[in-house]
Amino acid sequence: MDSGSVSFKKLKFGKLKVVRRHLLQRYEHQPFISCLAGLYSCQWKRYQRRRTEPGQCCCKMWECVFIPFLLGAFCLSLVFLYMWGEAKNDYNNFDWYNYGNVGYWFLWSVLLLILAAVFFTYISLLLVLAACLLSEGQQLYLHWSHKIGTFLVLGFSIAAIAVFSKLWRVRWKTVRLSFQVTAPYLHIGAIAAMVLLSWPVALHAFRMNKKVIQAIIIGPYLAILVLLFLIPLGIYSPCIREVGTLGPKPALIGHRGAPMLAPENTEMSFQKTIEHGGDGLETDVTISYDGIPFLMHDSNLQRTTNIREVFPSNSTQNAALFSWDALEQLNAGKWFLRDTPFSCMGSLSSADQKLAMNQSIYKLSNFLRLADRANKLVIFDLYRPPEKHPYRNTWINTTLEVIRDSGIKPHLVLWLHNTMRSFVQSVAPGFQHTMASKAPVDALLRDNIVKLNLVYSAMSSEDIRKYARANITTNLYVISEPWLFSLAWCVGVHSVTTNAVHSLKNINRPLFLMTPKEYRIMWLLTDTVAALLISLVFALHWWREKGFSCCSDDSGVVLENGTYNKFRTELNDLPTVVA
């Protein structure tokens, strides 16, 4: 055998090894592609799928028309999930609102959160599958069942956002507040998402033959990327501050006591607040038909007592129309164990369960004596009795008499009600007068206001500093989530009313607190790493599509739709070697 015959034989054997390697690689890779296509398109068999040839679009025209709906469902479901997740602080209010409409207690807020999370996860998985299929050079075809699911998610998200924008518009203020603490971390998440998207974007763009189409694909991507790189220039967060500029931790006032640990507005609830180191107690005061002030938030007794069992024919009657003798017969604790008013409630010990079962409606006088013994501040909403109530016109005097007779130190009382304020100041000069709304500083000083009690959505560091310069402190209600408490701390709030004294007491440093230098390092490091990774991905795909050998052994030959014949042709073209 001469040397020429040996060379031809080696050449043919080498070509066979290349073919064999490509066949094995492609065969081993097919189960992964089959899984992707099966989940996305319900195309589990290989002959059902088509590859995207260079210069072709990633899908047919009708599929291109549907892609905006898929992206829209993703964006809107993400918006609603974020909004509803950040609204967790007010889930109890939402459930209470629904209780007033449907007549029974249920954790509707948690159900809505689960639905939002499931829908967002579903759409996200579809997009991940689509990105993986694009990365594998497969044509996209979304199965009709997924299209129905996409429209379902889209409709749910639009309806939910529209309803909440109309009925619960204040939640958007919560979302805006949340950006003040989460924006730096949302920025990192958005950059990470753009890095992941760079793979299918670069792959699809460089497979296009026309420069215009490449520009259409890459242009918007790069524009969004540059915008994200520069967004930190406009980010404001009160939790990004220099060392030593943070004020003291806000004082904690128990909202109706500790309603996550005990039935609200009961002795047990206020005792729990005191045990966990709360600085004050908040409650709601109603006056019975025979002139006894007692603690009750709702206008009737259905939610927090067993009124349906004791007085079934009067269960919807206004709480102020019952005598104290009748109110004493009611149990104010069993509902707490039955309904579980908070989704994040821990399990109670057997002793606490027994104690909760035996709670009764609490008198204002007993509440004030308890606060005085523990040296705790008290603040309460005072409800005027309804028409034809014998104490409708003397309710302020009746309440002041009970406060005086209780012996509580006057400086512990934060007097909130604005009716007859001048009269109250004259007969009880030691009270700390509190206003429930913002007003000019001059007007507040003229009325001897020393504290503002504001809803947390009105949080403003500028206003808080302005009032503080006039020795007017600020209390925000109701703040129970750690991120919201951290934000209140950073803006300089002096105290907060909370459902979660037991958990907020353990926060010794605001969440998300960092110095401007630390944030600049985080920002620049994130952008630099992302830019390097994205550049590497684009260079890799450009190199591979140009046919560099370091990226694919034989110009990236594929083995679908009959291209295996290319290997056979190449082999047949080799000269036959005769020994």
Side-chain angles (χ1 to χ4, degrees):
M1 183 184 299
D2 57 10
S3 59
S5 298
V6 173
S7 338
F8 279 123
K9 183 175 289 188
K10 287 182 179 180
L11 179 61
K12 187 168 184 178
F13 286 160
K15 194 69 175 179
L16 284 171
K17 287 181 180 180
V18 171
V19 174
R20 182 175 179 274
R21 182 167 63 254
H22 277 285
L23 283 170
L24 288 176
Q25 288 175 349
R26 199 64 192 170
Y27 177 78
E28 292 169 354
H29 202 47
Q30 282 303 311
F32 174 68
I33 298 177
S34 297
C35 182
L36 294 176
L39 293 173
Y40 187 82
S41 311
C42 203
Q43 295 175 342
W44 297 95
K45 297 182 179 179
R46 184 174 170 184
Y47 69 85
Q48 296 175 311
R49 304 190 299 272
R50 290 182 179 275
R51 288 187 60 83
T52 302
E53 299 299 331
Q56 290 184 348
C57 183
C58 63
C59 55
K60 296 181 180 179
M61 183 184 69
W62 288 112
E63 289 298 314
C64 289
V65 170
F66 187 78
I67 285 177
F69 291 100
L70 185 62
L71 294 175
F74 172 79
C75 294
L76 291 176
S77 62
L78 175 61
V79 168
F80 180 68
L81 178 61
Y82 180 83
M83 184 199 79
W84 194 240
E86 294 302 317
K88 185 181 177 184
N89 186 79
D90 300 308
Y91 281 2
N92 186 254
N93 290 344
F94 178 77
D95 295 331
W96 178 77
Y97 172 81
N98 285 301
Y99 172 83
N101 290 309
V102 302
Y104 63 91
W105 187 267
F106 184 74
L107 296 178
W108 300 101
S109 54
V110 177
L111 176 62
L112 199 58
L113 180 64
I114 293 172
L115 283 175
V118 168
F119 285 158
F120 173 73
T121 302
Y122 169 66
I123 295 298
S124 299
L125 287 175
L126 289 182
L127 287 176
V128 169
L129 290 173
C132 291
L133 287 171
L134 284 177
S135 299
E136 294 297 329
Q138 300 290 318
Q139 278 196 357
L140 296 182
Y141 169 74
L142 187 64
H143 193 257
W144 62 266
S145 60
H146 289 319
K147 291 176 180 174
I148 294 175
T150 300
F151 281 119
L152 176 65
V153 174
L154 187 62
F156 170 82
S157 302
I158 292 174
I161 292 173
V163 169
F164 280 95
S165 297
K166 184 176 182 180
L167 300 181
W168 219 15
R169 189 174 301 175
V170 69
R171 296 289 74 78
W172 289 111
K173 295 182 180 179
T174 305
V175 172
R176 289 197 292 272
L177 287 176
S178 73
F179 286 148
Q180 294 185 22
V181 293
T182 61
Y185 306 94
L186 292 176
H187 169 251
I188 294 176
I191 293 294
M194 294 300 287
V195 172
L196 295 176
L197 281 175
S198 66
W199 188 274
V201 168
L203 172 70
H204 194 55
F206 288 126
R207 290 179 68 87
M208 296 293 106
N209 293 330
K210 296 181 179 179
K211 299 293 184 181
V212 175
I213 299 179
Q214 289 182 348
I216 292 174
I217 296 173
I218 297 177
Y221 174 84
L222 293 180
I224 295 173
L225 185 64
V226 171
L227 177 64
L228 289 175
F229 281 164
L230 299 178
I231 271 182
L233 293 174
I235 287 179
Y236 163 74
S237 173
C239 292
I240 300 176
R241 57 195 310 132
E242 297 291 351
V243 176
T245 61
L246 182 68
K249 180 179 178 178
L252 301 175
I253 298 176
H255 182 236
R256 307 175 203 166
M260 292 184 180
L261 305 177
E264 66 180 54
N265 282 332
T266 62
E267 181 180 8
M268 178 184 178
S269 186
F270 298 116
Q271 289 282 11
K272 288 291 184 182
T273 303
I274 295 170
E275 289 174 13
H276 286 281
D279 302 286
L281 307 172
E282 186 274 347
T283 189
D284 313 275
V285 178
T286 301
I287 299 178
S288 69
Y289 200 75
D290 50 354
I292 305 297
F294 65 97
L295 311 187
M296 183 59 56
H297 173 267
D298 297 4
S299 60
N300 61 53
L301 302 164
Q302 291 186 98
R303 181 175 66 91
T304 57
T305 72
N306 61 340
I307 185 72
R308 288 190 179 97
E309 300 173 8
V310 181
F311 303 111
S313 59
N314 297 324
S315 61
T316 59
Q317 185 171 283
N318 191 293
L321 298 179
F322 289 87
S323 67
W324 179 248
D325 288 340
L327 294 171
E328 280 189 308
Q329 300 178 43
L330 301 177
N331 182 287
K334 291 181 179 179
W335 71 274
F336 179 77
L337 301 176
R338 181 189 69 238
D339 294 339
T340 313
F342 291 88
S343 59
C344 52
M345 285 173 53
S347 58
L348 299 181
S349 66
S350 57
D352 281 346
Q353 290 183 20
K354 184 177 180 180
L355 186 60
M357 287 280 287
N358 294 309
Q359 292 300 299
S360 57
I361 295 176
Y362 207 36
K363 278 185 178 181
L364 174 62
S365 57
N366 294 335
F367 166 76
L368 294 172
R369 293 189 185 97
L370 174 65
D372 185 59
R373 288 195 301 270
N375 199 36
K376 302 298 181 183
L377 296 169
V378 297
I379 183 171
F380 51 83
D381 288 314
L382 181 59
Y383 299 147
R384 188 178 186 182
E387 296 285 347
K388 299 182 180 180
H389 192 286
Y391 290 87
R392 177 172 173 80
N393 297 321
T394 59
W395 56 308
I396 296 291
N397 286 326
T398 301
T399 305
L400 289 173
E401 289 175 6
V402 172
I403 295 174
R404 183 192 61 212
D405 294 342
S406 70
I408 188 172
K409 302 174 189 67
H411 73 273
L412 295 178
V413 178
L414 303 178
W415 183 266
L416 182 60
H417 208 279
N418 206 39
T419 303
M420 299 173 60
R421 188 179 292 277
S422 299
F423 170 75
V424 174
Q425 289 175 342
S426 65
V427 299
F431 290 176
Q432 297 189 55
H433 282 267
T434 305
M435 182 73 77
S437 60
K438 293 181 180 180
V441 173
D442 293 341
L444 296 174
L445 294 176
R446 187 170 56 250
D447 292 336
N448 297 315
I449 301 299
V450 298
K451 182 180 282 290
L452 291 177
N453 185 53
L454 305 175
V455 64
Y456 75 84
S457 58
M459 189 186 309
S460 166
S461 57
E462 182 180 350
D463 288 340
I464 290 170
R465 288 194 298 268
K466 177 181 67 175
Y467 292 126
R469 286 193 293 269
N471 293 322
I472 299 174
T473 58
T474 306
N475 179 73
L476 297 183
Y477 67 93
V478 171
I479 291 178
S480 302
E481 287 298 301
W483 73 265
L484 198 53
F485 177 71
S486 299
L487 180 61
W489 188 348
C490 290
V491 300
V493 169
H494 303 88
S495 61
V496 300
T497 302
T498 178
N499 293 321
V501 170
H502 61 290
S503 61
L504 297 187
K505 71 171 185 178
N506 297 320
I507 298 179
N508 299 315
R509 182 178 184 271
L511 306 179
F512 313 109
L513 182 66
M514 67 179 80
T515 64
K517 181 179 179 181
E518 290 172 338
Y519 178 57
R520 283 194 297 270
I521 292 174
M522 183 177 73
W523 166 31
L524 295 175
L525 184 62
T526 300
D527 287 1
T528 302
V529 172
L532 289 175
L533 290 175
I534 292 172
S535 300
L536 180 62
V537 169
F538 272 74
L540 178 66
H541 282 291
W542 177 82
W543 203 359
R544 188 173 69 174
E545 293 302 324
K546 292 300 180 181
F548 280 83
S549 58
C550 65
C551 296
S552 60
D553 287 322
D554 195 34
S555 299
V557 179
V558 293
L559 300 175
E560 287 193 18
N561 301 327
T563 53
Y564 173 68
N565 291 330
K566 181 176 179 181
F567 288 108
R568 296 190 60 179
T569 302
E570 291 173 350
L571 290 176
N572 292 334
D573 288 342
L574 292 174
T576 302
V577 180
V578 180

